[in-house]
């Protein structure tokens, strides 16, 4: 049993193309998990170890988070390499949900980019301490100290370098460790031989100043360090390390390191830092809710002798059936054990237990608190909690963003129907941001996701993995509707048939909720004096909710609405749950248009980077697409433009950007908010919807 204090569960996260997968490849090489380095877009066509899907190797991007483990000196490290592309944001969410620490990789040239901001927000959501690694120090324009400033300004980190480069760009030779005050050079074909020397004379003064700044910052976290600093005495290496660790774990400090994964420089120092500064499982507070005790919060202990608590955080359909990735928070798990799924109380046996190294499996007999493992043949959904049955705890689930784009899809060939359904079932189980539903009116299968690339990848996977070609319709934006003014309503529902009839009357008002409201719907009961009997009130609520699922402008869900009922009437014989539900639905239909409804559209936050000479073209394209420029910055002849653009205007943007920038521009996009569409576009959408309805009713 390994010493749990020597275990590190870390994720590697960053903006797309910052070099995460390349860095992971080097880590695996130096920890002797692999014997030959492969590049992400290598000439061998093999591709990096962690990008094991054919699609990842062709596109040169990471699509699925991949897990692996390795040993460095005395530390056991479980690593999850996550995608940088915002369309696969759920992969980052679920990785960070189960990890204890992270490496935030930044490009030394581009610095903090739009997706770095998103990843940082996700790390904050799960309280993950991190080390920042300024990669690509060998590239023209590399400046890790400017990146450190950006970490402070853009992300609000208390970021201070704990190393500094020896040279930069094509003269980048090695890294000075400011804690030990030694120069490190990386020799050999793959930088595997570390040569430690004294700091070059010309850099000694700067190194001393930077170490003093680091010591001064650490004084805020450690009194002993502060005392030595004020007395101008030397701070021993071990004491400084202890202070950096304490500061990093408090989430109030981010150590900044630098190197070049591609040029094999600085990676071993980063591995040392993972052991020195990132938490072991016992240093992280993990909580569960006790389902047998009205969801009381329980703090889990990373100990083997406690009842088992494990979280299934990712599912994958492997060659041998469903593979369920689990993080064990408490207790022990062995092959052949029976475990209980807390969400449905089902008891399942663990036939196989494995440790994953990308797509390879290594059989193990048992695992304990702090481990990340995978099991076969365990039916589960993403986010299910498993226990040994003596307790019924559930872990809090992860944040799942709503999809923003939909496509109508059908198999090209009717014979592919069975495989098509199989694929969709599997992908919806594996990926909570990928949704499938049947459009009742058109009987089409609609898939929804986080962006064009997200859906494109799934369509390609259906074709490759299930041999079923898919035809898709035009992408459909997930619009919403809302009301903009308070409107009173009064509606009486009366229906007389043979026997007892239906009678209900409701009065009240509908009003808009504020744009920043957490809930999309609120129901307020202000009935006094039994005007409507208590048992019928929930039926009114149900009726309102049912009707608001489909707005009357363009048929999309109505959000940000508060429905209040304050009066009504009933009949002793003819009133029923159904009568009040139908009455509530009809009240909305009758008065909806008086509440000045508007159509809302998803607005995306768009980050574009391109050479400076294309600035005019980039901004022109954004303006043409109804975009609002938020900021422009120029660094090293590259311009970075941040803007907000409606999703409906973004289809085909990647092609347009490439042609306008000679293929040199790149962009990332993520959902920001919903906002009203301009009046002329709303009229157009309403007209189209009415024409569609008229055609269907013929």
């Amino acid at each position: 049993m390994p010493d749990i204090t020597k275990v590190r569960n870390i994720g590697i996260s960053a903006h797309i193309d910052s070099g995460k997968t390349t860095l992971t490849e080097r880590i695996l090489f130096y920890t002797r998990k692999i014997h030959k380095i492969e590049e992400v877009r290598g000439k061998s066509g093999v591709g990096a170890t962690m990008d094991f899907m054919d699609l990842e190797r062709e596109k040169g991007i990471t699509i699925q988070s991949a897990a692996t483990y390795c040993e460095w000196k005395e530390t056991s490290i479980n690593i999850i390499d996550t995608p940088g592309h915002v369309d696969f944001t759920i992969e980052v969410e679920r990785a960070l949900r189960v990890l204890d620490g992270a490496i935030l990789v930044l490009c030394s040239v581009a610095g903090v980019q739009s997706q770095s901001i998103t990843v940082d927000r996700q790390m904050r959501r799960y309280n993950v301490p991190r080390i920042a690694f300024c990669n690509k120090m060998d590239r023209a324009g590399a400046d890790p100290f400017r990146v450190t400033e950006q970490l402070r300004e853009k992300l609000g980190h208390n970021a201070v370098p704990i190393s500094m480069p020896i040279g930069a760009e094509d003269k980048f030779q090695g890294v000075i460790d400011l804690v030990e005050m030694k120069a490190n050079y990386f020799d050999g074909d793959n930088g595997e031989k570390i040569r430690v020397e004294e700091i070059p004379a010309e850099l000694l003064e700067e190194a001393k100043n930077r170490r003093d700044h680091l010591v001064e910052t650490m004084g805020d976290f450690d009194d002993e360090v502060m005392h030595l600093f004020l007395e101008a005495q030397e701070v021993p290496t071990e004491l400084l390390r202890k202070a950096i660790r304490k500061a990093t774990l408090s989430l109030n400090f981010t150590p900044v390191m630098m190197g070049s994964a591609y040029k094999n420089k600085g990676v071993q120092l980063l591995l040392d830092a993972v052991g020195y500064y990132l938490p072991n499982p016992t240093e992280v507070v993990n909580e569960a809710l006790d389902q047998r005790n009205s969801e009381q919060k329980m703090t889990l202990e990373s100990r083997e002798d406690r009842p088992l608590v494990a979280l299934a955080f990712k599912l994958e359909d492997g060659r041998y059936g469903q593979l369920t990735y689990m993080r064990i928070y408490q207790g022990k798990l062995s092959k052949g054990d029976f475990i209980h799924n807390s969400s449905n109380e089902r008891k399942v046996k663990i036939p196989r237990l494995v440790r994953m190294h990308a797509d390879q499996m290594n059989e193990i007999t048992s695992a304990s608190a702090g481990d990340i493992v995978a099991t076969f043949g365990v039916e589960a959904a993403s986010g299910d909690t498993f226990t040994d049955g003596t307790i019924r705890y559930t872990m809090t689930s992860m944040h799942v963003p709503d999809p923003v784009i939909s496509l109508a899809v059908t198999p090209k060939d009717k014979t592919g129907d069975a495989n098509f359904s199989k694929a969709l079932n599997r992908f919806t189980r594996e990926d909570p941001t990928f949704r499938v539903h049947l459009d009742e009116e058109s009987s089409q299968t609609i898939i929804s996701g986080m962006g064009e690339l997200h859906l494109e990848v799934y369509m390609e996977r259906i074709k490759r993995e299930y041999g079923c070609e898919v035809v898709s319709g035009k992408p459909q934006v997930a619009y919403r509707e809302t009301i903009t003014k308070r409107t009173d309503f009064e509606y009486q529902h009366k229906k007389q048939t043979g026997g007892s009839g239906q009678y209900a009357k409701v009065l009240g008002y509908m009003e808009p909720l504020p744009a920043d409201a957490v809930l999309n719907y609120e129901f307020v009961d202000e009935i006094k004096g039994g005007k409507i009997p208590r048992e019928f009130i929930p039926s009114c609520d149900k009726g309102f909710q049912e009707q608001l699922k489909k707005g009357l402008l363009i048929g999309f869900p109505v959000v940000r609405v508060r429905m209040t009922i304050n009066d009504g009437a009933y009949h002793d014989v003819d009133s029923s749950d159904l009568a009040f539900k139908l009455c509530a639905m009809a009240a909305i239909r009758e008065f909806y248009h008086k509440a000045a409804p508007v159509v809302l559209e998803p607005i995306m936050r768009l980050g574009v980077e391109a050479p400076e000479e294309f600035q005019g073209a980039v901004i022109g394209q954004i303006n043409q697409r109804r975009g609002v420029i938020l900021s422009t910055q120029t660094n090293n002849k590259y311009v970075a433009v941040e803007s907000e653009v409606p999703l409906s205007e973004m289809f085909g943007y990647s092609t347009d950007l490439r042609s306008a920038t000679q293929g040199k521009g790149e962009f990332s996009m993520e959902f920001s908010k919903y906002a009203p569409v301009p009046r002329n576009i709303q009229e157009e959408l309403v007209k189209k919807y009415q024409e569609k309805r008229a055609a269907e009713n013929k």
Side-chain angles (χ1 to χ4, degrees):
M1 163 73 198
D3 177 358
I4 194 165
T5 62
K6 298 278 192 284
V7 173
R8 301 287 180 273
N9 291 316
I10 64 163
I12 298 182
S13 302
H15 182 89
I16 192 163
D17 269 351
S18 298
K20 298 179 300 301
T21 304
T22 307
L23 175 63
T24 313
E25 193 75 2
R26 298 310 185 270
I27 288 174
L28 294 178
F29 179 75
Y30 297 132
T31 55
R32 306 213 166 141
K33 281 297 284 189
I34 56 173
H35 304 294
K36 181 171 182 279
I37 290 173
E38 294 289 355
E39 299 308 338
V40 173
R41 292 188 178 89
K43 292 185 178 64
S44 66
V46 175
T49 309
M50 302 303 272
D51 284 351
F52 53 82
M53 276 170 67
D54 291 344
L55 216 64
E56 294 180 308
R57 291 178 173 175
E58 281 166 34
K59 288 181 180 283
I61 60 168
T62 302
I63 292 169
Q64 288 191 328
S65 49
T68 187
Y69 65 98
C70 56
E71 307 268 330
W72 177 251
K73 296 183 179 169
E74 292 174 355
T75 311
S76 300
I77 307 174
N78 290 312
I79 300 172
I80 298 185
D81 172 29
T82 61
H85 205 289
V86 71
D87 283 18
F88 309 107
T89 189
I90 189 67
E91 293 287 338
V92 185
E93 285 281 346
R94 55 175 151 211
L96 291 173
R97 171 69 186 81
V98 298
L99 293 170
D100 304 326
I103 297 171
L104 175 62
V105 184
L106 300 157
C107 169
S108 292
V109 183
V112 172
Q113 295 163 279
S114 54
Q115 191 61 17
S116 325
I117 297 169
T118 304
V119 167
D120 181 69
R121 198 169 58 237
Q122 290 170 317
M123 288 179 184
R124 284 176 201 269
R125 187 180 290 138
Y126 300 110
N127 295 327
V128 177
R130 74 225 55 162
I131 294 171
F133 182 68
C134 298
N135 194 18
K136 303 195 176 184
M137 275 301 303
D138 56 304
R139 274 185 52 189
D143 182 351
F145 302 118
R146 192 191 75 246
V147 178
T148 306
E149 270 314 300
Q150 289 182 346
L151 272 170
R152 299 176 78 89
E153 287 163 18
K154 287 190 177 180
L155 299 181
H157 283 224
N158 180 12
V160 178
I162 59 169
S163 60
M164 67 176 259
I166 303 169
E169 303 179 359
D170 53 352
K171 295 189 176 66
F172 178 55
Q173 296 163 10
V175 178
I176 294 170
D177 181 342
L178 294 175
V179 180
E180 288 194 337
M181 285 300 275
K182 288 278 190 262
N184 294 262
Y185 299 92
F186 305 88
D187 302 334
D189 294 343
N190 296 307
E192 65 274 22
K193 296 180 183 135
I194 305 170
R195 178 163 47 93
V196 181
E197 294 191 354
E198 291 306 314
I199 297 170
E202 69 276 12
L203 293 174
L204 190 57
E205 192 57 36
E206 186 191 346
K208 279 181 176 166
N209 291 338
R210 291 199 181 279
R211 190 180 200 265
D212 283 349
H213 177 50
L214 174 63
V215 169
E216 187 183 357
T217 309
M218 287 306 101
D220 296 340
F221 299 94
D222 190 297
D223 293 343
E224 207 178 330
V225 172
M226 177 59 90
H227 178 70
L228 291 171
F229 175 72
L230 292 174
E231 296 201 343
Q233 288 181 19
E234 185 59 36
V235 176
T237 301
E238 280 313 307
L239 181 61
L240 187 54
R241 261 194 204 132
K242 201 176 105 200
I244 295 172
R245 178 180 182 79
K246 184 177 168 188
T248 307
L249 297 193
S250 74
L251 299 173
N252 293 320
F253 176 71
T254 305
V256 181
M257 304 188 72
M258 48 215 65
S260 165
Y262 185 59
K263 294 286 186 203
N264 311 309
K265 289 180 170 60
V267 178
Q268 295 96 321
L269 293 183
L270 180 63
L271 279 167
D272 286 342
V274 166
Y276 290 141
Y277 309 127
L278 289 182
N280 68 54
T282 65
E283 293 170 305
V284 179
V285 176
N286 289 302
E287 290 182 328
L289 306 173
D290 188 348
Q291 296 302 327
R292 291 178 184 159
N293 192 2
S294 51
E295 299 208 337
Q296 196 180 336
K297 277 190 178 173
M298 308 298 289
T299 301
L300 301 176
E301 296 176 65
S302 296
R303 281 171 37 195
E304 236 189 71
D305 56 358
R306 308 289 299 146
L308 172 76
V309 178
L311 179 74
F313 66 95
K314 177 174 158 64
L315 313 179
E316 213 174 87
D317 228 11
R319 293 188 293 271
Y320 312 105
Q322 182 174 298
L323 189 60
T324 306
Y325 285 79
M326 283 192 193
R327 159 78 199 258
I328 305 171
Y329 285 96
Q330 183 176 283
K332 191 178 177 190
L333 191 60
S334 301
K335 186 175 162 179
D337 278 358
F338 282 95
I339 56 173
H340 294 248
N341 186 334
S342 289
S343 63
N344 56 22
E345 294 272 18
R346 278 205 191 128
K347 186 169 150 187
V348 282
K349 186 179 180 180
I350 295 181
R352 283 177 75 191
L353 201 57
V354 294
R355 269 190 197 283
M356 295 304 292
H357 169 45
D359 59 342
Q360 297 162 20
M361 289 160 232
N362 300 322
E363 298 273 347
I364 53 172
T365 52
S366 70
S368 52
D371 280 335
I372 291 176
V373 293
T375 63
F376 274 108
V378 173
E379 270 300 309
S382 204
D384 281 357
T385 306
F386 287 90
T387 66
D388 59 1
T390 60
I391 51 175
R392 192 177 168 209
Y393 287 1
T394 56
M395 305 286 292
T396 50
S397 59
M398 57 210 148
H399 169 77
V400 179
D402 283 329
V404 292
I405 179 174
S406 304
L407 273 181
V409 288
T410 45
K412 196 171 185 180
D413 191 346
K414 281 283 168 250
T415 54
D417 271 1
N419 277 355
F420 179 65
S421 325
K422 229 186 260 176
L424 293 182
N425 276 336
R426 171 192 156 188
F427 295 146
T428 46
R429 262 210 333 268
E430 286 182 9
D431 180 351
T433 57
F434 179 71
R435 316 265 172 95
V436 179
H437 74 275
L438 195 68
D439 187 313
E440 289 164 17
E441 286 169 4
S442 61
S443 297
Q444 286 179 305
T445 303
I446 310 288
I447 57 172
S448 311
M450 301 309 295
E452 275 183 289
L453 181 66
H454 190 207
L455 299 184
E456 195 185 294
V457 161
Y458 276 118
M459 281 160 61
E460 186 64 29
R461 285 184 66 189
I462 293 171
K463 180 179 156 187
R464 290 182 186 206
E465 296 170 34
Y466 289 87
C468 170
E469 276 220 43
V470 176
V471 187
S472 66
K474 197 168 165 261
Q476 170 72 67
V477 175
Y479 290 106
R480 295 285 180 265
E481 295 182 25
T482 191
I483 56 173
T484 56
K485 71 175 195 190
R486 178 183 151 145
T487 302
D488 292 321
F489 60 81
E490 177 179 344
Y491 192 82
Q492 179 173 288
H493 172 71
K494 219 173 178 178
K495 198 172 179 189
Q496 201 59 50
T497 49
S500 64
Q502 288 182 6
Y503 178 82
K505 185 177 181 180
V506 293
L507 284 84
Y509 56 90
M510 58 175 98
E511 61 184 336
L513 284 166
D516 58 353
V518 178
L519 298 169
N520 271 324
Y521 167 79
E522 218 176 275
F523 174 70
V524 181
D525 166 18
E526 288 181 358
I527 296 289
K528 300 218 168 47
K531 292 285 181 71
I532 298 176
R534 294 255 59 83
E535 67 264 29
F536 297 140
I537 304 277
S539 304
C540 298
D541 183 12
K542 264 188 210 145
F544 290 143
Q545 288 194 54
E546 184 91 10
Q547 190 59 51
L548 292 171
K549 278 181 188 167
K550 206 164 184 191
L552 301 172
L553 281 180
I554 59 168
F556 278 88
V558 184
V559 295
R560 302 182 198 156
V561 178
R562 182 185 288 124
M563 299 299 300
T564 303
I565 52 170
N566 51 24
D567 202 353
Y570 71 102
H571 186 278
D572 286 337
V573 178
D574 292 350
S575 286
S576 64
D577 280 333
L578 180 64
F580 273 98
K581 183 180 168 183
L582 293 173
C583 182
M585 289 173 79
I588 288 183
R589 286 199 299 272
E590 186 82 12
F591 291 88
Y592 185 68
H593 287 286
K594 291 181 180 166
V598 294
V599 175
L600 302 173
E601 62 182 341
I603 303 290
M604 311 301 279
R605 195 178 177 97
L606 175 71
V608 187
E609 285 166 15
E612 217 174 335
E613 67 261 32
F614 301 115
Q615 182 169 351
V618 167
I619 288 174
Q621 278 188 344
I622 292 170
N623 289 335
Q624 274 171 356
R625 293 168 184 265
R626 295 197 283 123
V628 177
I629 308 286
L630 301 176
S631 70
T632 53
Q633 280 182 327
T634 311
N635 283 327
N636 295 313
K637 300 188 175 159
Y638 253 74
V639 66
V641 182
E642 289 282 328
S643 61
E644 285 184 342
V645 191
L647 175 64
S648 58
E649 304 287 341
M650 287 305 293
F651 300 122
Y653 178 66
S654 53
T655 317
D656 290 358
L657 180 67
R658 262 186 231 123
S659 55
T661 58
Q662 295 168 11
K664 294 172 186 164
E666 53 180 50
F667 76 99
S668 70
M669 183 171 79
E670 68 169 320
F671 172 72
S672 170
K673 62 185 179 193
Y674 270 99
V677 301
R679 174 65 54 195
N680 60 325
I681 291 174
Q682 175 162 320
E683 284 166 8
E684 215 174 284
L685 289 168
V686 171
K687 191 175 158 204
K688 266 191 201 159
Y689 178 66
Q690 285 167 349
E691 283 168 4
K692 183 181 156 198
R693 292 297 300 268
E696 281 162 5
N697 293 333
K698 271 183 185 170

